[in-house]
């Protein structure tokens, strides 16, 4: 079944630890995105990639890094986790066609203690 | 700054009609999206409007007025499964999606 997968589904992490959230899509979409979603706030863009080999900063990039070595994978790394990074993280992809509709993975619920 | 406004929460009755409004102020406009998000799940695409007017898709319709910076999502014949959050998002001049905080819709029997 085509779509986006994310791993892990959920994680509890000690502050200061390094963590990589994985995202893989099999729709051959050019663009991929990482969002965080917190109660009462809209989805906030962390980083994005318009095509393999390129990345860009979104609204809230501090404390996060990404890479896009190929079309399918777009991992998000927290170098040294802090409690304010407790959130639900969604990966999304789009085809960069005229509507640029984004399709979302199931999310990763991350708790930093 | 860029801003998307939508009501925080709405309540409606099963079988009725509800209209969820969204107003926006963004740097440029390349389309407006509505997504549905059930609790604990990912957002799923509902509709896309780029021209003024009404787009109908089954029980759901979406309206856009670019001159007023306004859209609404109309849900007819409400079912219990429509209980969810509805997210409005605008694609700005840089082709970045700007998201509203979402409207939580509660359906009562």
């Amino acid at each position: 079944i085509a779509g986006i997968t994310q791993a892990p589904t959920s994680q509890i992490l000690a502050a200061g630890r390094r963590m990589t959230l994985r995202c893989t899509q099999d729709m051959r979409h050019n663009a991929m995105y990482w969002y965080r979603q917190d109660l009462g706030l809209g989805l906030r863009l962390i980083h994005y990639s318009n095509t393999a080999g390129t990345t860009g900063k979104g609204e809230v990039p501090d404390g996060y890094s990404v890479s896009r070595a190929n079309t399918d994978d777009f991992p998000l790394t927290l170098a040294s986790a802090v409690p304010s990074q407790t959130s639900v993280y969604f990966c999304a992809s789009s085809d960069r066609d005229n509507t640029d509709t984004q399709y979302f993975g199931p999310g990763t619920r991350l708790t930093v203690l | 700054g860029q801003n998307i406004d939508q009501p925080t929460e709405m309540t409606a009755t099963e079988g009725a009609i509800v209209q969820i409004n969204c107003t926006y102020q963004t740097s440029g406009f390349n389309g407006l999206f509505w997504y549905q998000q059930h609790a604990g799940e990912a957002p799923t695409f509902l509709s896309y409007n780029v021209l003024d007017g009404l787009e109908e898709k089954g029980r759901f319709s979406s309206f856009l007025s670019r001159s007023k910076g306004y859209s609404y999502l109309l849900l007819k014949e409400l079912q219990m499964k429509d209980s969810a959050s509805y997210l409005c998002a605008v694609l700005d001049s840089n082709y970045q999606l700007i998201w509203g905080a979402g409207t939580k819709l509660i359906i009562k029997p």
Side-chain angles (χ1 to χ4, degrees), chain A residues 36-38 40-44, chain B residues 99-102:
Chain A
R36 60 178 290 173
Q37 187 175 42
D38 302 289
L41 300 176
L43 287 160
R44 292 185 292 170
Chain B
W99 294 85

Side-chain angles (χ1 to χ4, degrees), chain A residues 33 35 37 40-43 45 48 57 90 96 98-106 109, chain B residues 30 33 35 37 40-45 48 87 91 94-102:
Chain A
Y33 314 84
Y35 291 95
Q37 187 175 42
L41 300 176
L43 287 160
L45 183 66
Y48 66 93
K57 293 181 180 180
F90 287 104
R96 283 299 191 196
N98 58 336
T99 67
D100 206 23
T101 301
Q102 293 187 16
Y103 297 92
F104 286 79
R109 184 174 295 275
Chain B
N30 282 299
F33 294 82
Y35 280 77
Q37 186 177 24
E41 298 183 7
T44 55
F45 170 75
Y48 169 79
L87 314 181
L91 200 60
N94 294 319
Y95 287 89
Q96 298 284 8
L97 259 185
I98 310 301
W99 294 85

Side-chain angles (χ1 to χ4, degrees), chain B residues 45-106:
Chain B
F45 170 75
L46 284 178
S47 67
Y48 169 79
N49 294 67
V50 68
L51 299 176
D52 286 356
L54 188 67
E55 296 271 348
E56 296 185 73
K57 194 185 294 185
R59 294 188 299 114
F60 292 10
S61 303
S62 55
F63 171 84
L64 175 67
S65 169
R66 294 184 60 168
S67 63
K68 295 182 179 178
Y70 168 70
S71 172
Y72 67 73
L73 181 69
L74 191 72
L75 292 74
K76 302 175 186 175
E77 301 169 16
L78 286 170
Q79 303 175 9
M80 297 304 293
K81 68 178 182 179
D82 298 329
S83 292
S85 288
Y86 292 86
L87 314 181
C88 175
V90 171
L91 200 60
D92 72 7
S93 58
N94 294 319
Y95 287 89
Q96 298 284 8
L97 259 185
I98 310 301
W99 294 85
T103 298
K104 182 178 181 180
L105 178 63
I106 298 167

